[in-house]
Amino acid sequence: MPKQENGQREDSLIQNDLSESFEEEVRAFLSDEEKLHLFDDLTKVNPVTTRTVLKCLQARYRVNLFYTNAGCSLVALNPFQPVSCLYSPELMREYHVALCPQDLKPHIFAVAEQTYRNVQKQMEPVNQSIIVSGESGAGKTWTSRCLMKFYASVAASAISPKGNETVERIEKRVLDSNPVMEAFGNACTLRNNNSSRFGKYIQLQLDRFHHLTGASIQTFLLEKTRVAYQAPNERNFHIFYQITKGATAEERLEWNLPEGAEYRWLPNFERNLDEDCFEVTRGAMFHLGIGRATQSNIFKVLSGLLHLGNVQFCSPVDESQPCELEDKTKGFVKTTGDLLKIPVEELLESLRIRTITAGRQQQVFKKPCSRAECETRRDCLAKVIYARLFEWLVLVINENIYTDPSVWTSFIGLLDVYGFEAFPENNLEQLCINYANEKLQQHFVAHFLKAQQEEYAAEGLQWSFINYQDNQNCLDLIEGNPLSIFSLLNEECRLNRASNTDLFQTRIEKALSSNQCLSRDKFSKKPNFIISHYAGKVCYQLAAMVEKNKDAVPPELVHVLQNSKDPLLQKLFPVTEENQNNTKSQNRAAVVTVVSKFKSSLEHLMEILSRTTPHYIRCIKPNADCKAMTFRREEVLSQLQACGIVEAITISAAGFPVRIPFQSFTERYKILRKSWGSSKKRVCDKSNSHSAEEKGETLVMDDDKASRAAVLEILQDAVGQTPAQGTGNGAEIPSVYCGKTKVFLANSVLELLEARRAEVLNEKAFCIQCCWRRFKEKKAAKEKRSATLIQAAVRSWLAKNRFQRMRRAANIIKHSWRRWKAKAAAFAAAELDEGEGKEFPAPGATLARPPCSLDTTWPLQAIVQFWPLGLVLAAAPVSVTGPRRALPLLSCLRGLQEGGSRGDSSALGCGIASIRALPQGSVKFHCRRSPLHFANVSPHREAFSITGFNQILLDRKELLPT
């Protein structure tokens, strides 16, 4: 015993020393407050405690730094005021084009860019999801809106102009879905002016080129009870305030919304919010394919709901008679019937009279409803119309933004759900909302806090488990089998009797008393139960919870809506073949309750998230009053503890955020092994294999061992050190660990591997480019040489042919010239040496023909061919005139005619042969071919060319007398 006491004292002393030293470290870290805002990643904080984390967040909030990395998640503090340039397109571009977005300041755009690059890398799982969580008013809706703008900008920035128009159209429609969904699904609550009263999962679809091609929206649990009931200091959905404040005079007259009218379902009308902009909603609806006529029809129906809320009933004197309307509300019934295009009598009958079918013969009985039942039916009519209208809007939006699955190959999901809620009075809506937040927190715990630590232990890492808050007990209490709050609620709804809240409370306490998360407020007179959620305890009232879970719509209301003449209501409530609500054979066990539908849709969502790579953004609300730049440590601390931020930071700081199986790692980074492989190692491996073959030994190696060896070689070559493995010491290389089936890396090592891989790929690409360019140059040079040879051969052949033709032509010309020259010389010699010709008759001889008129104009050809006639005229006597001059001329012409008849007839065309002298008595003409005609003419003479002495003979003005 004394030894044990001494041992306990020693242990307590050691713990005290450790705690004192730890406190000293904390104080030393917090002493320099001026540097606390520089910690943009909380994993760098040492030591990691709630106090140090809170101090760093507060210091960063003071200097307008609202985003901080916290391991696997991003902490986003709501500034509650507009911040210039924090979400500008230029900043989006900066994060998109950055080589390493993590090196920039923490931002939601860095998370978005990381998810987009993960899709581009095509590393399994390719699809990404961003889970935006936080309390109501923490900024989840704004964050989702900015993320959608970023993805639309990124997808539209790297495509062709024609495709750019398509993406802008899709991007515009996707973004326009936000104001429409917020107008019809958001409302002002005690904690948030723009609180989402429904959950949505937006799936942004990308094609194989990573361009935005479409989107789809999945919604969860619209809080339709808000249409007919609003808590104190809260408002109805935004769309009701938009149509009453933004309608024009003509629209007010058409929708019957007079100025200054009061509506019971429109509280706090005097409050003006930024969300009350009617034109933005109308413009977005128009871009989504909802025309002006359809919009007017929608707003007319909503106006009818406002008038329906003013309908009041009074208890009848006789219970067998239906309830009467209050005098001041009778006009509202008529207005509601006119706007919804329902006859007033049918509308009143469906609200005040209940139809009962009983007996084997299906006899129908009509029973008047009490005042409470009439008001319940009125509220139910408004809720079912609004719920169907909201579902129809979601369907129309999806039809305009959704693309065929064959077009897109991957997606990035954005989850924006209602935040954790705890009001003074909480009912089924708050239970479902907090259940959804519990499921998301459990996904974070199971995927990160729990799964990672179990994986470290299974892979052989020396790991000391870090305690964290597991909310599995709370989920078992709400949804567990066989007994849970949901199962008891559904069972109570199936009972064919009115629900008793006291008995139901007793059943819950007896059936679920073993669960520590369940308790009860003993000081409250109303039946209730308390659930200890991860974010705190919430007290739920059982009053009307069973009826809300049934969500039953009286068949009379459905029938009257089906008979409406309004085209929109006819779409929302189509006529079916059978109204199954009126048949007694309906199986009550098959009734689908609200919690059943919500649980089914949420499980489907969790299944989608489990097949994607999750990214977490934790939105923190600095203060409950939504005041700008106000940081309340107690409220922020409760949110940090609830969502497990401190535990996540601790695990991220001590663990490995990147875990890749051996096969995937080898496939992606094997190029590093090939490029960095040592020739000595390959020589040694070859020598070892040869020696093993000589000894007859077979080298057998497991696939795991081979993959492990490949991973070790890659890491050795790329990182330069051998990672810890097996039971190895993680302190040697804390950033790399090689487990049994996976390799664990820090972000710095992954960045180093990616950088080295990109470098090697660039080298290989450069090598391929060099080889390709060298091949192209060689091919071009070869083609050039071939073309030169072909051109030289063709030119040689052409030159040779041309030379041969010219040579043949020259020979022909030479021979022809020589022959013509010889013949001309022979003609000239024979002509000059010939005997004398015949003389012309005497001047007095008679003429056989009358003389031709000398005034006749002779053509040039005739002058050239018969130029001796000119010589005859020139030789005529000049001094005499009249008949005495004509007689010598005629004598000469007769001699010319006789001389021409002796020779060839064609000789006249060549001119006379020679000119001897001017005749004194008689003139002798020789009409033969003469070389004098060609004396001054080249071989290629033009037609009728005249040169030398011949030109002188042809000038009539000089030769002939005037």
Side-chain angles (χ1 to χ4, degrees):
M1 294 296 292
K3 292 182 180 179
Q4 293 179 358
E5 291 178 358
N6 293 334
Q8 292 176 358
R9 290 178 180 176
E10 291 177 358
D11 293 340
S12 62
L13 290 174
I14 292 173
Q15 291 178 0
N16 290 333
D17 292 340
L18 291 176
S19 61
E20 289 178 0
S21 62
F22 186 75
E23 287 293 332
E24 290 179 0
E25 292 180 2
V26 172
R27 285 194 295 269
F29 177 79
L30 297 177
S31 61
D32 195 359
E33 295 185 358
E34 296 181 356
K35 295 183 179 180
L36 292 180
H37 70 278
L38 300 177
F39 289 91
D40 55 359
D41 192 347
L42 296 179
T43 57
K44 301 176 182 178
V45 175
N46 189 18
V48 178
T49 63
T50 306
R51 184 180 174 187
T52 55
V53 169
L54 189 63
K55 277 287 188 180
C56 289
L57 291 177
Q58 185 176 9
R60 292 179 62 82
Y61 191 75
R62 288 175 180 172
V63 295
N64 293 336
L65 297 175
F66 307 108
Y67 295 105
T68 308
N69 291 324
C72 64
S73 59
L74 177 71
V75 177
L77 295 170
N78 194 343
F80 292 116
Q81 67 178 2
V83 181
S84 60
C85 301
L86 189 58
Y87 307 99
S88 62
E90 293 77 15
L91 191 62
M92 295 181 189
R93 184 67 179 172
E94 180 181 354
Y95 277 89
H96 179 54
V97 301
L99 295 177
C100 186
Q102 287 75 17
D103 294 341
L104 301 177
K105 293 180 180 180
H107 202 282
I108 57 174
F109 294 159
V111 179
E113 180 61 25
Q114 183 62 42
T115 59
Y116 188 72
R117 295 190 182 187
N118 288 350
V119 173
Q120 290 179 324
K121 292 178 183 177
Q122 295 292 303
M123 292 182 65
E124 294 294 336
V126 178
N127 299 324
Q128 310 287 311
S129 289
I130 298 180
I131 302 171
V132 185
S133 60
E135 291 189 1
S136 179
K140 300 183 299 299
T141 302
W142 176 263
T143 300
S144 301
R145 192 187 306 170
C146 294
L147 290 173
M148 292 176 64
K149 289 182 179 179
F150 177 84
Y151 287 122
S153 175
V154 167
S157 61
I159 56 176
S160 60
K162 183 177 180 181
N164 196 10
E165 297 176 0
T166 304
V167 172
E168 284 182 357
R169 178 180 60 84
I170 295 173
E171 172 258 347
K172 179 66 175 174
R173 292 191 177 188
V174 171
L175 295 182
D176 283 337
S177 65
N178 277 327
V180 177
M181 301 296 289
E182 291 179 11
F184 286 85
N186 290 19
C188 177
T189 63
L190 293 174
R191 309 186 66 180
N192 186 7
N193 290 339
N194 190 28
S195 177
S196 298
R197 310 318 300 162
F198 71 105
K200 62 181 177 181
Y201 181 71
I202 304 174
Q203 196 178 75
L204 302 177
Q205 299 155 353
L206 307 175
D207 60 8
R208 61 190 183 95
F209 300 107
H210 317 302
H211 299 154
L212 182 64
T213 59
S216 65
I217 300 176
Q218 181 182 357
T219 59
F220 311 96
L221 190 67
L222 174 70
E223 190 189 11
K224 57 186 178 182
T225 56
R226 184 169 290 272
V227 177
Y229 172 77
Q230 302 84 31
N233 297 324
E234 292 191 357
R235 300 204 319 174
N236 208 327
F237 291 105
H238 293 322
I239 188 62
F240 291 104
Y241 298 89
Q242 291 180 3
I243 62 175
T244 52
K245 293 181 180 181
T248 62
E250 294 80 5
E251 292 171 342
R252 288 182 181 277
L253 185 63
E254 180 184 359
W255 304 337
N256 206 333
L257 292 174
E259 285 278 359
E262 295 183 358
Y263 303 97
R264 291 181 59 252
W265 290 349
L266 212 62
N268 301 312
F269 181 79
E270 66 280 356
R271 294 182 60 181
N272 294 320
L273 302 178
D274 295 336
E275 290 76 18
D276 294 341
C277 186
F278 188 40
E279 290 301 323
V280 174
T281 304
R282 300 188 68 169
M285 294 176 69
F286 183 77
H287 291 151
L288 289 171
I290 304 175
R292 300 298 183 187
T294 307
Q295 291 184 29
S296 179
N297 199 357
I298 293 173
F299 302 141
K300 186 183 297 184
V301 171
L302 295 178
S303 302
L305 298 185
L306 290 179
H307 288 278
L308 180 64
N310 286 350
V311 176
Q312 296 293 319
F313 298 92
C314 57
S315 300
V317 179
D318 187 1
E319 293 183 356
S320 62
Q321 298 298 322
C323 295
E324 295 294 335
L325 293 173
E326 293 184 0
D327 295 337
K328 61 181 181 180
T329 63
K330 292 182 180 180
F332 292 109
V333 176
K334 185 179 183 306
T335 304
T336 302
D338 294 339
L339 291 174
L340 300 181
K341 296 185 179 180
I342 300 175
V344 179
E345 295 78 10
E346 295 183 10
L347 178 61
L348 285 176
E349 184 179 357
S350 63
L351 294 177
R352 298 187 299 177
I353 298 176
R354 180 175 57 182
T355 303
I356 302 174
T357 305
R360 295 182 179 178
Q361 298 180 357
Q362 297 292 312
Q363 296 181 354
V364 179
F365 300 92
K366 293 186 177 182
K367 180 182 177 181
C369 299
S370 63
R371 178 182 178 182
E373 290 176 344
C374 290
E375 292 177 352
T376 302
R377 283 175 169 250
R378 176 201 62 196
D379 298 346
C380 182
L381 180 64
K383 290 188 293 184
V384 70
I385 291 176
Y386 195 82
R388 292 284 184 91
L389 177 60
F390 187 80
E391 293 175 359
W392 178 80
L393 280 174
V394 175
L395 181 63
V396 171
I397 292 173
N398 282 330
E399 288 177 353
N400 283 274
I401 64 177
Y402 185 74
T403 54
D404 191 81
S406 60
V407 178
W408 56 275
T409 58
S410 56
F411 67 86
I412 298 176
L414 303 178
L415 180 61
D416 176 22
V417 295
Y418 10 58
F420 184 83
E421 293 183 350
F423 298 121
E425 291 186 0
N426 305 281
N427 211 286
L428 184 65
E429 294 83 8
Q430 282 70 40
L431 178 61
C432 293
I433 289 172
N434 294 337
Y435 163 65
N437 284 272
E438 289 283 354
K439 290 289 288 185
L440 294 178
Q441 178 65 17
Q442 194 262 349
H443 179 270
F444 174 74
V445 169
H447 183 269
F448 187 77
L449 301 180
K450 183 179 179 180
Q452 282 197 18
Q453 297 192 82
E454 291 178 352
E455 188 177 22
Y456 292 157
E459 290 291 331
L461 277 74
Q462 293 182 353
W463 183 264
S464 58
F465 275 82
I466 299 173
N467 295 326
Y468 57 89
Q469 182 182 357
D470 193 353
N471 63 337
Q472 188 60 46
N473 289 335
C474 183
L475 285 174
D476 293 339
L477 173 64
I478 299 175
E479 65 168 2
N481 287 322
L483 291 177
S484 63
I485 293 178
F486 279 179
S487 63
L488 294 175
L489 261 176
N490 292 334
E491 185 178 349
E492 189 73 15
C493 292
R494 296 188 183 98
L495 297 178
N496 191 16
R497 60 175 174 81
S499 176
N500 190 322
T501 55
D502 294 326
L503 293 177
F504 185 50
Q505 179 184 359
T506 304
R507 290 188 61 194
I508 291 177
E509 290 178 354
K510 288 183 179 179
L512 305 173
S513 59
S514 60
N515 196 305
Q516 298 179 356
C517 295
L518 180 67
S519 61
R520 180 172 65 90
D521 186 6
K522 299 179 181 180
F523 299 99
S524 176
K525 296 181 180 180
K526 299 179 180 180
N528 64 84
F529 62 90
I530 298 176
I531 298 179
S532 298
H533 292 282
Y534 75 96
K537 293 184 178 181
V538 180
C539 181
Y540 299 96
Q541 281 70 37
L542 289 172
M545 183 175 287
V546 177
E547 296 299 326
K548 289 182 178 180
N549 189 37
K550 289 180 181 179
D551 196 23
V553 180
E556 298 85 7
L557 299 182
V558 177
H559 180 71
V560 75
L561 290 174
Q562 289 176 344
N563 293 334
S564 173
K565 302 301 181 181
D566 186 79
L568 179 61
L569 292 179
Q570 290 177 354
K571 292 180 182 179
L572 301 181
F573 299 92
V575 180
T576 57
E577 296 180 359
E578 287 186 10
N579 191 358
Q580 298 181 355
N581 294 328
N582 291 334
T583 60
K584 185 180 178 181
S585 60
Q586 182 181 2
N587 187 8
R588 290 191 179 90
V591 175
V592 181
T593 60
V594 172
V595 296
S596 298
K597 291 188 292 186
F598 185 66
K599 180 182 177 182
S600 176
S601 60
L602 205 57
E603 287 178 350
H604 177 66
L605 174 64
M606 292 295 115
E607 184 180 353
I608 294 176
L609 294 179
S610 63
R611 297 196 301 266
T612 62
T613 301
H615 304 265
Y616 302 94
I617 297 179
R618 297 289 190 178
C619 296
I620 303 296
K621 192 175 183 180
N623 61 86
D625 299 330
C626 301
K627 293 183 179 179
M629 303 307 296
T630 302
F631 191 93
R632 294 178 183 172
R633 300 181 59 186
E634 296 78 9
E635 298 179 8
V636 175
L637 179 61
S638 63
Q639 297 176 61
L640 293 178
Q641 291 175 345
C643 60
I645 287 292
V646 178
E647 292 84 355
I649 295 171
T650 305
I651 295 174
S652 299
F656 301 91
V658 182
R659 303 173 300 279
I660 307 176
F662 287 159
Q663 184 177 0
S664 300
F665 184 87
T666 306
E667 289 178 357
R668 182 164 183 81
Y669 300 108
K670 61 184 178 181
I671 190 171
L672 303 182
R673 183 185 181 186
K674 293 180 179 179
S675 60
W676 284 66
S678 175
S679 59
K680 296 182 179 179
K681 290 184 179 180
R682 286 195 285 268
V683 172
C684 294
D685 292 340
K686 289 181 180 180
S687 62
N688 292 335
S689 61
H690 287 307
S691 61
E693 290 176 358
E694 291 175 358
K695 293 179 181 179
E697 297 176 357
T698 56
L699 190 61
V700 179
M701 183 178 291
D702 266 339
D703 294 339
D704 293 341
K705 292 183 179 179
S707 301
R708 186 188 184 88
V711 169
L712 292 175
E713 184 178 351
I714 292 172
L715 291 174
Q716 174 66 26
D717 294 336
V719 181
Q721 293 178 346
T722 304
Q725 50 182 313
T727 59
N729 185 6
E732 295 179 358
I733 305 177
S735 57
V736 183
Y737 190 94
C738 192
K740 296 179 180 179
T741 60
K742 294 182 179 180
V743 56
F744 298 86
L745 307 172
N747 284 324
S748 58
V749 180
L750 180 65
E751 293 174 3
L752 178 63
L753 289 173
E754 288 293 328
R756 180 56 191 157
R757 182 174 180 270
E759 182 182 350
V760 173
L761 288 177
N762 289 334
E763 293 176 358
K764 300 300 182 183
F766 181 73
C767 182
I768 293 172
Q769 290 176 352
C770 292
C771 295
W772 173 248
R773 289 169 180 168
R774 182 167 59 251
F775 169 75
K776 288 182 66 177
E777 291 295 331
K778 287 184 177 180
K779 184 178 179 182
K782 186 176 180 180
E783 292 176 352
K784 188 175 181 179
R785 288 195 302 269
S786 301
T788 304
L789 293 176
I790 294 172
Q791 290 175 357
V794 170
R795 288 171 179 169
S796 175
W797 180 79
L798 291 175
K800 184 178 180 180
N801 285 350
R802 185 168 176 271
F803 175 76
Q804 291 177 354
R805 288 198 304 272
M806 292 177 66
R807 188 171 185 178
R808 287 195 297 270
N811 290 334
I812 292 173
I813 294 172
K814 182 174 64 176
H815 295 316
S816 300
W817 171 256
R818 289 176 180 174
R819 185 170 55 253
W820 177 83
K821 190 176 181 181
K823 186 181 293 185
F827 284 159
E831 185 178 290
L832 294 175
D833 297 337
E834 243 182 12
E836 293 183 358
K838 188 185 291 186
E839 293 182 355
F840 284 98
T846 60
L847 295 176
R849 296 179 183 178
C852 297
S853 177
L854 296 178
D855 297 329
T856 304
T857 303
W858 289 77
L860 180 62
Q861 186 175 3
I863 296 174
V864 173
Q865 293 180 353
F866 299 101
W867 65 274
L869 181 60
L871 184 62
V872 171
L873 295 176
V878 181
S879 57
V880 295
T881 58
R884 296 182 62 184
R885 176 180 172 82
L887 290 175
L889 289 176
L890 291 177
S891 300
C892 292
L893 288 176
R894 188 181 295 110
L896 180 63
Q897 183 179 5
E898 292 177 359
S901 60
R902 274 184 305 208
D904 192 3
S905 62
S906 61
L908 293 174
C910 299
I912 60 177
S914 64
I915 303 173
R916 298 204 173 175
L918 291 176
Q920 298 297 326
S922 63
V923 179
K924 183 183 292 184
F925 287 91
H926 301 277
C927 298
R928 296 185 180 180
R929 194 179 295 269
S930 173
L932 296 178
H933 180 69
F934 305 101
N936 297 324
V937 180
S938 63
H940 300 286
R941 61 185 180 86
E942 297 179 359
F944 316 115
S945 58
I946 305 168
T947 57
F949 185 64
N950 299 337
Q951 181 66 30
I952 301 174
L953 296 179
L954 294 178
D955 193 351
R956 294 177 59 187
K957 292 183 179 181
E958 296 181 0
L959 298 179
L960 297 178
T962 59

